[in-house]
């Protein structure tokens, strides 16, 4: 488990993170989302032990990751813009990482590079952005670390490669003790893979929830009810947001799906339909409830 205990970080007069706390449990895919400049990259670097927090501490399996070089071997960090040695080839980078990570799977590296269509002896500086991202994922997977920290990993990958990487992550979680942490500004990229999502905003953790909990507790309903029954319906539901166009009500409500639909049917609606919410729409609703202007937060 990765534990963030009140971590804070400043760069001169800029506060990157302020008193961020949270837990990332083993065997989950954790999505870290937020706008550019929200502190995602800084947070990942502190989880990897690359940066020391100014305040608080980051524990990986109960050990301070910045102070303990051995526990850092359980973490592999993929930066948004992966660094490669000048004139290095994929094979050169594999040999470098194999020195540090004791369980590096060199045979698997050769196999994956071939499957991804990358040339092992070609200079990485001649690779496209997407090819460099693919190589970074391969290097990270083959390190066989318990935790893989990914900063905007899917940015630059085509749709086929995005699905391929997600499939690799899923297979790793089935076959070994593996926990990926994926930072992104795009919730749509994370919706079909993450078990838990945390939202960073202005250096703080605004929200951290299980995805299934978020989806099961917030619903959008479209219904047409008699005007005399409208107030009764609104009083019976925990309404987060309401829009009305003529006789059609669009409600975002909190609560269990069955209980919500029972309340609606009690007022005998002319029409009622449950519309699934995307993860993006759920976060928009939650942040609006928290009093933030969503236009300043996401997307």
């Amino acid at each position: 488990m990765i534990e963030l205990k009140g971590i804070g970080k400043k760069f001169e007069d800029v506060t990157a993170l302020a008193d961020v706390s949270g837990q990332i449990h083993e065997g989950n895919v954790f999505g870290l989302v937020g706008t550019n400049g929200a502190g995602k990259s800084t947070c990942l670097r502190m989880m990897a032990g690359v940066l020391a927090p100014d305040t608080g501490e980051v524990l990986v399996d109960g050990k301070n990751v910045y102070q303990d070089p051995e526990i850092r071997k359980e973490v592999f960090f993929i930066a948004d813009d992966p660094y490669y040695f000048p004139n290095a080839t994929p094979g050169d980078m594999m040999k470098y990482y194999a020195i540090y990570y004791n369980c590096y799977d060199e045979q698997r590296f050769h196999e994956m590079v071939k499957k991804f269509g990358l040339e092992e002896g070609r200079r990485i500086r001649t690779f496209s952005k997407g090819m460099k991202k693919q190589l970074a994922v391969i290097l990270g997977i083959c390190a066989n670390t318990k935790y893989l920290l990914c900063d905007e990993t899917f940015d630059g990958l085509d749709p086929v490669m995005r699905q391929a990487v997600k499939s690799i992550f899923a297979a790793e979680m089935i076959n070994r003790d593996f926990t990926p942490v994926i930072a992104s500004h795009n919730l749509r990229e994370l919706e079909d893979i993450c078990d838990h999502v945390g939202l960073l905003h202005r250096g703080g953790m605004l929200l951290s929830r299980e995805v299934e909990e978020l989806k099961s507790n917030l619903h959008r309903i479209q219904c047409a009810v008699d005007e005399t029954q409208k107030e009764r319906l609104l009083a019976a539901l925990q309404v987060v947001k309401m829009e009305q166009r003529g006789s059609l009500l669009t409600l975002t409500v909190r609560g269990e799906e069955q209980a919500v639909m029972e309340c609606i049917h009690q007022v005998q609606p002319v029409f009622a339909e449950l519309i699934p919410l995307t993860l993006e729409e759920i976060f928009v609703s939650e942040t609006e409830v928290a009093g933030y202007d969503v236009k300043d937060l996401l997307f």
Side-chain angles (χ1 to χ4, degrees):
M1 180 171 68
I2 298 177
E3 298 175 82
L4 311 178
K5 294 192 170 184
I7 59 173
K9 187 69 179 180
K10 291 184 69 174
F11 297 98
E12 296 182 351
D13 296 331
V14 177
T15 299
L17 291 174
D19 195 27
V20 173
S21 296
Q23 296 180 340
I24 299 173
H25 295 280
E26 298 172 16
N28 286 327
V29 183
F30 189 96
L32 189 64
V33 298
T35 52
N36 293 327
K40 301 186 302 297
S41 297
T42 300
C43 192
L44 288 184
R45 282 180 165 82
M46 285 196 280
M47 290 184 201
V50 176
L51 288 177
D54 295 333
T55 57
E57 61 179 349
V58 179
L59 303 181
V60 174
D61 294 342
K63 299 177 181 178
N64 188 303
V65 69
Y66 186 77
Q67 298 176 357
D68 192 329
E70 287 303 310
I71 199 61
R72 287 201 295 273
K73 292 182 179 181
E74 292 294 336
V75 182
F76 193 101
F77 172 57
I78 301 176
D80 180 21
D81 184 14
Y83 173 77
Y84 300 107
F85 297 132
N87 295 320
T89 66
D92 293 334
M93 295 306 301
M94 179 271 292
K95 292 175 183 177
Y96 167 74
Y97 285 117
I99 294 172
Y100 183 75
Y101 293 102
N102 301 330
C103 297
Y104 206 94
D105 191 338
E106 297 186 23
Q107 181 59 38
R108 189 179 183 196
F109 174 82
H110 298 311
E111 293 171 356
M112 291 187 72
V113 165
K114 186 175 181 180
K115 286 181 179 179
F116 273 69
L118 302 177
E119 298 175 48
E120 194 169 326
R122 179 178 164 184
R123 303 298 180 190
I124 300 172
R125 59 182 170 81
T126 67
F127 283 8
S128 68
K129 179 180 178 180
M131 293 167 69
K132 291 176 181 178
K133 283 290 181 76
Q134 292 172 40
L135 176 59
V137 171
I138 294 171
L139 289 166
I141 288 292
C142 293
N144 278 322
T145 56
K146 187 174 180 180
Y147 302 98
L148 182 64
L149 311 182
C150 308
D151 192 1
E152 302 289 355
T153 298
F154 300 116
D155 185 27
L157 297 180
D158 62 57
V160 173
M161 281 300 168
R162 289 176 190 173
Q163 289 304 316
V165 170
K166 290 177 182 180
S167 297
I168 290 171
F169 285 177
E172 290 297 303
M173 294 179 71
I174 292 172
N175 296 325
R176 65 182 178 92
D177 190 1
F178 179 68
T179 301
V181 180
I182 307 170
S184 178
H185 64 278
N186 191 341
L187 277 168
R188 296 183 186 91
E189 293 290 359
L190 305 180
E191 185 163 8
D192 62 345
I193 188 174
C194 288
D195 303 299
H196 195 114
V197 180
L199 173 60
L200 278 177
H201 176 56
R202 295 176 183 171
M205 187 73 78
L206 182 61
L207 187 68
S208 180
R209 301 268 185 85
E210 294 288 337
V211 172
E212 286 306 313
E213 178 189 346
L214 284 169
K215 288 186 174 182
S216 66
N217 195 49
L218 201 65
H219 314 280
R220 177 172 293 165
I221 309 292
Q222 279 193 338
C223 60
V225 298
D226 188 280
E227 192 66 26
T228 60
Q229 297 292 327
K230 175 184 169 183
E231 293 304 320
R232 177 187 170 193
L233 176 62
L234 297 179
L237 296 172
Q238 189 177 349
V239 180
V240 175
K241 185 177 181 180
M242 181 186 77
E243 296 176 2
Q244 183 170 4
R245 293 183 179 179
S247 60
L248 183 65
L249 284 175
T250 301
L251 305 173
T252 302
V253 301
R254 202 182 301 280
E256 294 296 325
E257 179 181 334
Q258 183 177 348
V260 168
M261 295 308 295
E262 285 177 358
C263 288
I264 292 173
H265 289 308
Q266 284 177 4
V267 299
Q268 298 180 337
V270 177
F271 164 80
E273 180 183 19
L274 180 68
I275 303 173
L277 285 166
T278 65
L279 191 58
E280 179 178 319
E281 290 171 327
I282 290 171
F283 266 81
V284 168
S285 297
E286 293 286 3
T287 51
E288 286 178 344
V289 170
Y292 290 91
D293 185 349
V294 71
K295 294 179 182 177
D296 295 333
L297 281 173
L298 294 172
F299 327 114

